[in-house]
Amino acid sequence: MTRSDALSSAAFTLVSALLLLVLVLQTLGCDAQRPQGTVTQVTGVDLRTEDGEETLSLPVSVGDLSGGSAATMTFSVDAEPGDVLYLHTVYSSYRVYANDELIGEFGAAGSYPSFLSDPPSEAASYSLGGLSGTVQVRVEFTTPVSRSSLYLYPPLVGSGPDVLRSLVGQYGPALAASVVFFVIGLALAVFSLSFCRFELRGRRFRYPGMIALLSSVWQMSENTLVVYLLQRPSLLYLLAFAGMFLFTIPLVKLTMIAVDRRSSLLLRTLLAVLEAAVVVAFALQLAGVVQLSQSSRFFTVLLPLVIWVLTAYSYYVGIRGKSKGALHYALAVSLLAVGSALEAVNYYVRVIGLVSGVFQAFMLAFVVAAAVLGMAVARRVYAESLRKVELDRDVQLLERSIEAQKEHNRLLLEHERDLSKLRHDMRHHYVLIRDMADGGRYDELSAYLDRLDVKPLASPVRTYCENVVANAMVAYYAGFAEERGYRFDAKLDIPATMPHLSDGDLCVVIGNLLENAMEACAKVEGGTPQVVFRARRQGPLLFMTLDNSLGSEPRRGANGFVTSKRGGSHGIGLRSIQAIAEEHNGEAVFGVENGMFRSSLFLEI
């Protein structure tokens, strides 16, 4: 399979897998929401803060609170034996009581890293201790130091499995989408390794893969179901913000490549600002000065701004430079721009379910679009690299032709010098013979002629046809074959001049045919390898056939026979012959007959 076919197959596999995962995601969402048991969602609570007491409807964000102050939420629920109470909090420590009995707590001093001023977000369930009937629940919060608001999610009450199913139904589809992102990102990162030897070095796949992976880490670490299942809130806190802060860095690098502006001052400045912002944010968090949750307010403005700048710049380069590649990329990054704007709205307005899902969809669309564009570019890069290999091979054949013609001329010059010496010597012999004949010394003349025994000089240059280029190439490979004991038989009728076929094309055709034949003969074990070359002119057409021995059955690729040459040049010679034949209104056919590899072609000359 060629790399081009591999790209097409990979694109098909990626799209098919994506569609299948979307179907599975929908199925999981529907299955999870099937009635399994009763889970009570608490939406009405009483909240007492330093400002007084009020009745609230959850979810709600309570603002204007002093950092580190006390806030007590109370509500009553109908419980059955074995039920649990599920709580989800954001940067708040708490103690939870059922009928005035402590059943759980979170965020006590020393239970999270010292560089965090507040405990991370938590999602956990606590056993009601076999209580049944109406249960009075009291949750005593310590409000966040890093912010002036307390966000309250609706608690859930039910059996442990039912609560889990409820969470899967609510957060499972988003988690499945995050897993899809992770798989796609990992696949693109691995796939990029197969292009390491190209100039782009796979970055058109690696950077979308990194974007998908970072986005996956961001979304997955913020997913309430993940927080609930892993119970590693501090680790997820760090991963969520790392994914959020970092994912635009590979985006800028991808843009540099996609719009071919790797030296752009604007893009390099954006990259430097983003990298510096990330370093500063983590340094401030490590020092305990500014929390990542506080730095995120800056990034929720910076990241959409950077994405919109990248979008505008891509359109600018595409329109001003008339670059289709830049315009295609601009359309793809526009999806991300819209998604980032919606995510910024989500951060401030908290339209959690709808907007986060929309952002994931836009992100997924961008990653897939970027990967598809990368595949298109990779196909072009591969085609160009293949063409470069073909040109290098053609140049080698032309250089070999020049060497063969130089050798041909050298032999002719040596032959001419031998003839000149012979003619010079013959003048002296002629004078002496004439003198003997005129003097009647015939016995002496006869003895002299017997001693002279002059033999005519044979031409050291074999003549296979009238065409100098063809003759030199064939003579070169004929000598090569004789040195190795191959049987070489060539009968050629190739005109000295051919108006519609250049010497270069003729050299490439004959050179490829004979070089392939020599390499095939070198693999023959036992017997005498043979090469039979025929060429004849018929009207405006030149017909050629070449049969050569085979050491093994040649392999067939997607586009024809694949020769067993050194890496990177499999079958290129045959494709060059075919391309030249087609350029000259002809055709080339290759096959195996009676244990011999046969190359047949015709072209207009």
Side-chain angles (χ1 to χ4, degrees), residues 36-78:
Q36 298 289 340
T38 301
V39 174
T40 301
Q41 184 181 71
V42 180
T43 57
V45 300
D46 293 325
L47 183 69
R48 186 175 67 253
T49 65
E50 58 189 5
D51 295 330
E53 188 170 347
E54 59 183 327
T55 300
L56 301 173
S57 179
L58 306 183
V60 67
S61 179
V62 182
D64 298 326
L65 298 176
S66 301
S69 62
T72 303
M73 179 176 71
T74 58
F75 57 90
S76 60
V77 295
D78 292 329

Side-chain angles (χ1 to χ4, degrees), residues 142-211:
T142 300
T143 61
V145 175
S146 59
R147 56 175 61 190
S148 60
S149 62
L150 174 66
Y151 196 84
L152 300 176
Y153 286 89
L156 301 177
V157 177
S159 69
D162 288 340
V163 168
L164 178 58
R165 274 190 289 268
S166 178
L167 294 177
V168 170
Q170 187 174 357
Y171 302 106
L175 176 58
S178 299
V179 173
V180 170
F181 269 92
F182 186 84
V183 171
I184 291 176
L186 188 62
L188 290 175
V190 173
F191 189 63
S192 69
L193 298 177
S194 64
F195 292 90
C196 287
R197 66 194 183 95
F198 291 135
E199 180 185 356
L200 294 176
R201 300 187 181 278
R203 286 173 290 179
R204 279 188 173 268
F205 297 104
R206 188 181 311 136
Y207 289 143
M210 292 173 62
I211 293 168

Side-chain angles (χ1 to χ4, degrees), residues 247-314:
F247 93 98
T248 49
I249 292 178
L251 178 64
V252 175
K253 293 182 178 181
L254 176 63
T255 304
M256 288 179 173
I257 296 172
V259 302
D260 196 21
R261 291 294 188 277
R262 276 161 276 186
S263 60
S264 167
L265 178 61
L266 173 63
L267 297 183
R268 289 189 172 276
T269 302
L270 284 177
L271 184 60
V273 169
L274 286 168
E275 291 174 342
V278 171
V279 171
V280 171
F282 280 99
L284 292 175
Q285 173 66 82
L286 186 61
V289 177
V290 179
Q291 303 298 293
L292 293 179
S293 58
Q294 295 172 303
S295 299
S296 67
R297 299 170 187 172
F298 169 72
F299 279 90
T300 55
V301 175
L302 176 64
L303 301 189
L305 178 62
V306 168
I307 293 171
W308 279 94
V309 169
L310 294 178
T311 303
Y313 184 74
S314 299

Side-chain angles (χ1 to χ4, degrees), residues 377-553:
V377 172
R379 288 176 67 96
R380 187 171 68 250
V381 170
Y382 171 68
E384 291 173 355
S385 67
L386 187 63
R387 181 56 183 161
K388 181 179 182 300
V389 173
E390 292 177 351
L391 290 175
D392 289 344
R393 180 182 172 87
D394 290 350
V395 168
Q396 291 176 359
L397 291 173
L398 291 172
E399 290 175 347
R400 190 165 296 166
S401 172
I402 293 172
E403 292 175 2
Q405 291 184 58
K406 286 180 177 178
E407 178 66 13
H408 176 87
N409 293 336
R410 185 187 66 81
L411 293 174
L412 287 177
L413 287 174
E414 288 183 356
H415 186 60
E416 179 63 27
R417 283 195 295 270
D418 291 341
L419 287 175
S420 297
K421 181 177 181 299
L422 180 60
R423 284 194 295 269
H424 179 270
D425 293 341
M426 285 301 297
R427 285 198 298 271
H428 296 290
H429 295 308
Y430 175 77
V431 171
L432 185 56
I433 291 170
R434 182 75 178 182
D435 181 68
M436 290 180 182
D438 290 344
R441 305 194 303 271
Y442 299 112
D443 292 338
E444 186 179 349
L445 175 60
S446 177
Y448 181 77
L449 290 175
D450 290 338
R451 290 194 306 273
L452 184 61
D453 192 24
V454 177
K455 296 180 180 179
L457 290 176
S459 174
V461 180
R462 303 178 191 178
T463 301
Y464 293 95
C465 63
E466 299 174 359
N467 189 280
V468 176
V469 172
N471 197 76
M473 287 295 288
V474 175
Y476 175 88
Y477 283 102
F480 184 93
E482 288 182 2
E483 289 176 2
R484 287 157 180 77
Y486 307 159
R487 189 173 73 83
F488 190 90
D489 180 14
K491 294 181 180 179
L492 312 176
D493 176 20
I494 301 177
T497 58
M498 293 175 285
H500 299 294
L501 182 65
S502 67
D503 289 346
D505 285 346
L506 179 63
C507 170
V508 169
V509 170
I510 294 178
N512 274 310
L513 287 173
L514 291 173
E515 184 168 321
N516 288 339
M518 296 302 153
E519 292 190 356
C521 288
K523 296 179 174 60
V524 175
E525 296 180 0
T528 301
Q530 58 180 324
V531 178
V532 181
F533 189 19
R534 298 288 184 266
R536 61 184 176 85
R537 177 178 181 175
Q538 184 172 334
L541 302 178
L542 178 64
F543 292 86
M544 294 186 190
T545 61
L546 189 144
D547 297 334
N548 60 264
S549 301
L550 284 172
S552 60
E553 187 75 13

